């Protein structure tokens, strides 16, 4: 427990820092707010000790959910101690140290168990129409005997015998043999996934060839199968030298082979890094930003993933051809592409529950290495890569283009991203189903899905209607190449910079309207009933005194509960010619801080943030019955220090 | 009629029209004096009605005897006509060229247009300076209307009536006019009721290299300050540019002569720089290559969003001076007809809730753009496809609309109008059947007798049926000052205008419709519930009366 300054470009707050076993907590001294900022240790990405200044020793903390905090600690020794402790706390070595093993949402055992069965993959395969004439549940991977990164429950073509499966598995990296990911009921086409074949320059495997034949036969409507290698051709060829590689069309009858160049995890990690550097720039010019964004290549990678997903969705829905997707190990790019394609094909995955199922299926069950990719435990930094972040962004890009097609809203995606890193729930722990079972995750931790489901009202997209044409069937993206469709997602990567986000939320506004509509419907019914009663009573000339009408009041909404408004930002920039910059502005630029209020509970967001900076935005959380219009004063009162220091001469 | 000479071939059959997102249509092409019309004769295929004045450029090419004319419109749309017969095609092309570049304003469509609707309110009289003055004359007696410019003699680009400090007489105004570029002496642009601070605008002072001064000018602007208060002069040019202007007789206010004022320089680009920016941006938007990186670098190279950021920043600064620092400001650039107006009008959007209503926004455009003498005729003569490098074209007004859209995007519930309203204004500024945006200033409009000879855009827009298209369903009166973010992350490309013809808006339109439905249904229920409540209350009181004798 130490006393510390916290400084930001706009707001410098004096407060106290607490380190607990799970969180970094900063409590501001200011007596009226005592604002608290909570940061989970597992969210800490990097800690940087910066050069000591006159005011103290700065410590910069970057989080995996894109929050950045700077602490200025008066004593260098304290700073060093905090630094050392945080380094240790942010990099746990054992799963048991993770937050989910101590997190207790006050649910009893039964509730916890129910939480874990909310998302049931057996049900999901049933929903797809399986097992059927062509596909069956295989027990070949019972006790993870064939492949330890696959789940036990796997669907394979009926004609694929155990012998074929085992043979094929020996010819595939990490024995990840071709299995079903998605079955398209309408025309029997399917999406299958695997790892790369161990073909080297000339090796072949009869069982593997038979396996692909079996997949083709499971789709009677088509006489070939697409094999999509999601890697750039060069990468795949390089793998041949290591005895791996890709399918030779000459050896496999009736396949069409296709490369789709999605870069590997290292390229993606660097790309995100570069983009975040752009997001972190202090008052960047438009050119700095756009150049930086382009240089990062991030949106190009997003487009590559989307293009792959679109290709597969089209092959399945329009051509009726089954597709086998793989990359190297078949757990990163393959997961991205299969899930994007499924999302495009099947409206179920665009619902709240369906989306949870999709992540559970294509990511969690098929052994996406959450622990390695998101650095939950201290490990090789080269294994870390924003693979699922990219998938989540693909979904957001689709939501932007099809605003009525998804049952959930942006907040849902942001919260999922947050919890992939938070380790507050057990869902994303470990690298495979096998490891999770060994750790007894379900008995010792809680499920995120149950938590999200309980709070689903917060995650609904008001524009979604199950009977709307946009929610039906396959999402059709334009065939013309439209690069401009892919946009920078400020709501994610700058999400702690409330000032940058739109100050009024259309989603929240419409949700409030809908909520009120529902109340009105109920009231209407009640009123009609009573009216009828009274009329009957009057008809009978009986004098029955009816109850006083309830004083329910519906006086419109106010998006703008005018008591708070946003405050101006720093419009003077770093303009030297500005005549009257206060001297104190110098250190403003030196640090960047973003605050987050309500992290105490499980909610990463912050929508209820009452930070003054967030301006009118908060107000959009309108209470349906609320008509309390505060006097129409603008924010002139909260002359907070966050106001740009401007013209103080 | 003169047009007949220009129309060599009035009609061609079997012309095929290609437009993005529509199937090709075959039909008969007709040329009239003001329109290019394609009718298909099939029942439910759409017809093309294009104003010649909306045509920015045309290209023609031939494959055998089949000619193709590519028409590039000022609203950025590109359409293609396949015309059988080389002669017909050449005739049509040259007619279109001639008809879309008529040099006489009085031959333009607004002088021929006859409205098909009943005029309820004549838009020419909707926003009179006297009425606007009344809006704040109750709050202050420090200002007066001056009729010094009645004959447009003092300042040709000002309207006949302007608002000036009460203590300054017309004689002084005449003197100040000789000291300001184009005779544009400082006038009131906006009065902030909350604290009595004001925005004034003018042309640059004509100090020249030898530092000329004008006592009346100093007196005029000082008259707007409260005792002991300071004001700010926002010069929309960089210090460098402002200094260079002295060589041409222009300049800026010297501290020594204006000790109560601090000068701030903001650099907002002018004329051809803006025009080139627009040309590059639209070219980037029309580029259909696969490469994501090229798109971003082209977007960057156009500098369009940089201009947006600069203009918005200057406007926010102005608003901050007024509202936060409690200081009055004077804004000018060189002429005071372009960047000056962008800043004054955007500052009002930020500060003044009324300017975020439909009516208030129309008044703002009338006051701060039309009457303030923004040369629409010159600036909007050509759009993004012009290849003749003329000096006067610049998307100054479009940049303003884009900035408004940016604020609207950040405060989606604080505006009474929607994006379509802004798009509509853009279209009419460049090509219209209404006279509103004709001419470069009030003086020219007077000479053209627009009020008598043409219809006002506002007469049409303000009909209830039309208004509903432009009304934002999310609007809730917000009496606050709204401070937009000017971070690059907060300023995206205005897709509704720049990608309008390059992407299908089907799904976005559906979403908008859904939004309207949600809100309409809510209102409907509310009305029903209110009726029932009233009925119930009546029945119950009746009941009560029966009971008590």
């Amino acid at each position: 427990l130490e006393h510390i300054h916290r400084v930001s470009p706009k707001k410098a707050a004096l407060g106290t820092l607490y380190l607990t076993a799970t969180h970094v907590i900063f409590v501001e001294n200011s007596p009226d707010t005592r604002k608290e900022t909570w940061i989970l240790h597992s969210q800490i990405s990097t800690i940087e000790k910066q050069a000591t200044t006159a005011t103290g020793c700065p410590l910069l903390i970057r989080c995996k959910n894109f929050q950045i905090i700077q602490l200025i600690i008066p004593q260098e020794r304290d700073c060093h101690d905090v630094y050392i402790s945080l380094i240790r706390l942010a990099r746990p070595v054992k799963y048991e140290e993770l937050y989910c093993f101590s997190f207790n949402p006050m649910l009893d055992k039964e509730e916890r168990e129910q939480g874990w069965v909310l998302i049931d993959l057996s049900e999901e395969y049933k929903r797809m129409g399986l097992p059927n004439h062509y596909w069956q549940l295989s027990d070949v991977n019972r006790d993870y005997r064939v492949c330890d990164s696959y789940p036990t429950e796997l669907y394979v073509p009926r004609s694929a015998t155990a012998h074929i499966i085992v043979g094929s598995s020996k010819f595939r990296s990490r024995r990840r043999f071709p299995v079903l990911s998605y079955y398209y009921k309408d025309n029997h086409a399917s999406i299958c996934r695997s790892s790369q074949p161990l073909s080297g320059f000339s090796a072949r495997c009869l069982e593997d060839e038979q396996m692909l034949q079996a997949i083709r036969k499971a789709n009677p409507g088509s006489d070939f199968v697409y094999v999509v290698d999601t890697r750039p051709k060069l990468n795949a060829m390089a793998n041949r030298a290591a005895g791996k590689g890709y399918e030779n069309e000459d050896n496999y009858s009736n396949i069409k082979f296709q490369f789709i160049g999605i870069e590997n995890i290292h390229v993606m990690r660097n790309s995100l890094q570069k983009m975040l550097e752009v997001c972190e720039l202090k008052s960047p010019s438009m050119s700095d930003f756009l150049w930086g964004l382009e240089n990062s290549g991030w949106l190009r990678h997003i487009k590559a993933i989307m293009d792959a997903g679109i290709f597969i969705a089209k092959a399945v829905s329009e051509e009726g051809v089954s597709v086998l997707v793989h990359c190297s190990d078949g757990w990163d790019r393959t997961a991205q592409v299969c899930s994007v394609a499924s999302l495009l094909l099947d409206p179920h995955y665009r619902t709240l529950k369906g989306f949870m199922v999709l992540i559970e299926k294509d990511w969690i069950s098929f052994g996406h290495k959450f622990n390695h990719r998101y650095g939950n435990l201290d490990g090789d930094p080269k294994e870390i890569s924003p693979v699922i972040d990219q998938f989540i962004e693909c979904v957001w890009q689709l939501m932007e283009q099809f605003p009525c097609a998804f049952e959930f809203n942006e907040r849902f995606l942001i919260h999922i991203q947050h919890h992939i890193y938070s380790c507050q729930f057990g869902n994303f722990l470990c690298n495979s189903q096998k490891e999770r079972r060994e750790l007894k995750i379900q008995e010792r931790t809680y499920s995120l899905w149950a938590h999200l489901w309980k709070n689903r009202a917060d995650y609904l997209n008001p524009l979604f209607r199950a009977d709307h044409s946009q929610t039906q069937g396959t999402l059709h993206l334009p065939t013309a190449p439209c690069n401009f469709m892919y946009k920078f997602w400020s709501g994610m990567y700058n999400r702690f910079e409330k000032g940058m986000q739109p100050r009024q939320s259309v989603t929240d506004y419409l949700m409030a309207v809908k909520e009120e509509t529902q109340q009105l419907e109920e009231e209407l019914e009640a009123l009609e009933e009573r009216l009828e009663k009274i009329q009957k009573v009057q008809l009978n000339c009986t004098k029955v005194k009816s109850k006083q009408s309830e004083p329910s009041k519906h006086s419109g909404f106010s998006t703008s509960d005018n008591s708070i408004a946003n405050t101006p930002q720093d419009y003077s920039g770093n303009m030297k010619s500005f005549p009257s910059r206060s001297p104190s502005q110098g250190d403003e630029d030196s640090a960047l801080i973003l605050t987050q209020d309500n992290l105490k509970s499980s909610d990463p967001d912050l929508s209820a943030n009452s930070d003054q900076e967030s301006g009118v935005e908060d107000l959009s959380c309108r209470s349906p019955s609320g008509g309390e219009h505060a006097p129409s004063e603008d924010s002139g009162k909260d002359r907070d220090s966050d106001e740009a220091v401007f013209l103080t001469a | 009629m003169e047009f007949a000479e220009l129309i060599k071939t009035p009609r061609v059959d079997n012309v095929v029209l290609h437009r993005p997102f529509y199937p090709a249509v075959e039909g008969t092409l007709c040329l009239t004096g003001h329109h290019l019309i394609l009718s298909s004769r099939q029942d439910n295929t759409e017809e093309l009605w294009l104003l010649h004045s909306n045509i920015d450029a045309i290209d023609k090419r031939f494959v055998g005897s089949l000619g193709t004319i590519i028409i590039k419109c000022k609203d950025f749309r590109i359409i293609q006509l396949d015309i059988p017969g080389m002669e017909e095609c050449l005739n049509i092309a040259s007619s279109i060229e001639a008809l879309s570049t008529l040099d006489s304003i009085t031959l333009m469509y607004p002088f021929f247009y006859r409205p098909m609707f009943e005029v309820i309110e004549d838009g020419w009289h909707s926003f009179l300076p006297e009425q606007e003055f009344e809006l704040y004359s109750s709050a202050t007696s420090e200002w007066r209307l001056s009729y010094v410019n009645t004959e447009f003699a003092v300042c040709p680009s000002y309207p006949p009536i302007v608002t000036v400090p009460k203590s300054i007489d017309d004689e002084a105004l005449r003197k100040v006019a000789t000291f300001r570029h184009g005779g544009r002496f400082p006038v009131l642009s906006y009065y902030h009721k909350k604290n009595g601070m004001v925005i004034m605008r003018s042309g640059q002072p004509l100090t020249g290299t030898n530092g000329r001064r004008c006592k009346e000018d100093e007196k005029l602007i000082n008259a707007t300050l409260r005792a002991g208060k300071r004001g700010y002069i926002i010069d929309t040019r960089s210090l460098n540019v402002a200094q260079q202007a002295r060589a041409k007789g222009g300049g800026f206010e010297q501290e020594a002569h204006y000790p109560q004022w601090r000068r701030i320089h903001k650099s907002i680009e002018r004329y051809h720089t803006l025009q080139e920016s627009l040309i590059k941006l639209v070219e980037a938007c029309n580029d259909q290559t696969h490469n994501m990186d090229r798109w971003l670098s082209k977007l960057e190279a156009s500098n369009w969003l940089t201009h947006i950021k600069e203009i918005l920043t200057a406007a926010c600064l102005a608003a901050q001076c007024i509202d936060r620092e409690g200081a009055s400001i004077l804004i000018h650039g060189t002429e005071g007809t372009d960047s000056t107006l962008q800043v004054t009008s955007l500052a009002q959007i930020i500060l003044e809730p009324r300017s975020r209503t439909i009516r208030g926004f129309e008044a703002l455009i009338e006051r701060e753009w039309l009457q303030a003498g923004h040369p629409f005729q010159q600036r909007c003569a050509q759009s993004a496809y012009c290849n003749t490098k003329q000096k006067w074209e610049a998307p100054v007004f479009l940049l303003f609309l884009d900035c408004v859209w940016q604020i609207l995007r950040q405060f989606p519930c604080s505006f009474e109008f929607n994006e379509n309203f802004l798009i509509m204004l853009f279209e009419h500024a460049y090509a219209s059947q209404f006279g509103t945006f004709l001419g470069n200033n009030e003086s020219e409009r007077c000479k053209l007798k627009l009020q008598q000879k043409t219809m006002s855009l506002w007469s049409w827009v303000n009909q209830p049926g039309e208004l509903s298209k432009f009304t934002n369903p999310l609007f809730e009166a917000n009496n606050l000052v709204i401070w937009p973010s000017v971070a690059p992350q907060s300023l995206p490309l205005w897709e509704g205008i720049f990608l309008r013809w390059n992407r299908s808006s089907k799904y976005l339109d559906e979403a908008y419709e859904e939004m309207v439905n949600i809100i309409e249904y809510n209102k409907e229920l509310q009305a029903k519930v209110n009726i029932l409540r009233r009925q119930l209350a009546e029945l119950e009181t009746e009941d009560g009366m029966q009971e008590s004798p």
Side-chain angles (χ1 to χ4, degrees), chain A residues 294 470 521 557 566 571 634, chain B residues 194 297 476 483-484 510 521:
Chain A
E294 182 195 322
Q470 242 180 78
E521 275 171 346
F557 319 99
N566 63 335
Y571 300 117
D634 85 279
Chain B
K194 195 171 113 188
S297 55
E476 300 241 309
W483 300 106
E510 281 174 6
Y521 179 56

Side-chain angles (χ1 to χ4, degrees), chain A residues 459-478:
Chain A
Y459 302 122
L460 291 175
N461 170 15
L463 296 174
F464 178 84
R465 210 166 13 91
D467 54 355
H468 194 282
S469 65
Q470 242 180 78
T471 59
Q472 316 301 316
T474 308
L475 289 185
H476 293 287
L477 283 140

